[in-house]
Amino acid sequence: MDLSLMKRISQLGSKAPKKEIQLRFLKRLERLLTNGYPLISSLEIISWDKQLKPISTSVINSLKSGNTLDQALEKENFNSIITSYLYFVRANGNLQANIEKCISMYEQRVHYIKKFQEAARYPLILLFIFALLLYFVKQSVLPSFMDLFNNSTETTSTVMFSVILIDLLGRFLTVLALMTVLFLVTWQVIKHKFSIEKQIKFYQVIPIYYQYKRMQISFLFATHVSSLLKTGMSIREILSNISLQNKQPVLAHFASLMTKELSSGIYITSLLANLPLLDKQLSIIFQKNADVNALEKDLSIYAELQTEEIHRKTMKVITYIQPAFFIILASFIIFIYVTLMWPMFQLIKTI
């Protein structure tokens, strides 16, 4: 087993702090930095909270060992959204502003997860009840039907057909659930072994996820370029910094491609328009803005609008979960009802 896979498995097995703990830690750190406390002093004050003390103590030790804040939080298994965003503190040095944006992004993610859990709770309960009903029908009702209609050859064949249909439905739902879980777990473990190009092609096969990923990558690109432009860095230096980070592999890959374009004497607008996970509007923004200040302002506004768009579309998808599931479940129930009643109609015809 290679080292990268071992590292991945160990990360999956390690226990990360709860989402609420991560948010509370970041909010307290941001508040103390706003009040003028240095980073180490802020972490020492955070350690007054018994629940946060193990994290803050570990982060202090990690920082004193020469690690950056994002590396220290990564060792504590903080969410990748947090560590990937704080990576750019190394370049822009604006820790407080980065933590503020990081809190906003992570709070939004926690909100989406909570809404999704609320939307999926009742459908999952109904799915469990439906599975029990299906098992009961298969084990008790259909055998009784077989005994009841044993004297009628035509009705018996109908019951047999109903048994086969319900059995196929049960097997289909079981296999579908197992394959979904297996695929999600396997993808999380092995996706890092695939090249970025193959990962992007895979994302394109799933339309809804591809659209979300496109908005996310476009937002991250606009946000990081905008924040780094404020430091006075050139576009080449910014892209070089983005390409060196490994927490957002797709973004790093695109930045690397753009750096090569600039090295060849070609401006990045044409490449921006053709990259699959970047919005074409970014190419238009770069094309129309020769002034760095105007470019920074437009990218900042674009990032804000993209945040609103991500929120709108994500909430829209979540609100569709329950109705879609209820329609599918109702269709299954009607299917079972018709399957059970069909032999009865066949028997009535023979009377």
Side-chain angles (χ1 to χ4, degrees), residues 27-37 42 45-46:
K27 285 182 176 179
R28 291 195 180 181
L29 180 58
E30 187 272 329
R31 187 188 309 161
L32 290 166
L33 291 172
T34 303
N35 288 325
Y37 287 92
S42 300
I45 293 173
I46 291 173

Side-chain angles (χ1 to χ4, degrees), residues 33-179:
L33 291 172
T34 303
N35 288 325
Y37 287 92
L39 178 58
I40 297 296
S41 299
S42 300
L43 292 169
E44 288 172 347
I45 293 173
I46 291 173
S47 66
W48 296 349
D49 186 325
K50 292 182 180 179
Q51 200 170 17
L52 298 178
K53 184 175 181 179
I55 298 173
S56 60
T57 303
S58 179
V59 172
I60 289 171
N61 292 334
S62 187
L63 291 174
K64 288 181 177 178
S65 299
N67 292 312
T68 57
L69 181 60
D70 63 288
Q71 291 172 333
L73 294 180
E74 189 173 12
K75 287 183 177 180
E76 293 303 304
N77 297 303
F78 270 58
N79 190 274
S80 59
I81 292 177
I82 296 170
T83 56
S84 63
Y85 204 90
L86 292 180
Y87 167 85
F88 291 96
V89 173
R90 305 181 193 182
N92 60 31
N94 196 342
L95 178 59
Q96 182 185 333
N98 278 45
I99 291 178
E100 285 178 7
K101 290 182 180 179
C102 190
I103 290 171
S104 176
M105 288 172 60
Y106 194 60
E107 271 186 327
Q108 195 176 55
R109 183 179 186 276
V110 171
H111 175 71
Y112 294 152
I113 293 174
K114 186 178 179 181
K115 287 295 182 183
F116 175 80
Q117 289 172 341
E118 290 174 356
R121 185 181 303 152
Y122 295 113
L124 287 175
I125 293 172
L126 289 175
L127 180 62
F128 177 72
I129 295 172
F130 175 74
L132 292 177
L133 174 65
L134 191 63
Y135 180 79
F136 173 75
V137 168
K138 182 181 174 183
Q139 297 296 322
S140 300
V141 177
L142 290 177
S144 300
F145 266 52
M146 291 289 293
D147 294 337
L148 179 64
F149 301 133
N150 196 31
N151 295 328
S152 174
T153 305
E154 185 179 352
T155 308
T156 302
S157 63
T158 305
V159 174
M160 285 298 297
F161 185 66
S162 299
V163 170
I164 292 171
L165 284 178
I166 292 177
D167 187 59
L168 286 175
L169 176 62
R171 289 175 183 272
F172 170 75
L173 293 176
T174 303
V175 171
L176 181 64
L178 290 175
M179 286 183 65

Side-chain angles (χ1 to χ4, degrees), residues 236 256-268:
R236 187 190 296 274
S256 180
L257 292 177
M258 293 178 209
T259 304
K260 290 178 182 177
E261 286 271 293
L262 289 174
S263 299
S264 302
I266 305 171
Y267 198 50
I268 61 175

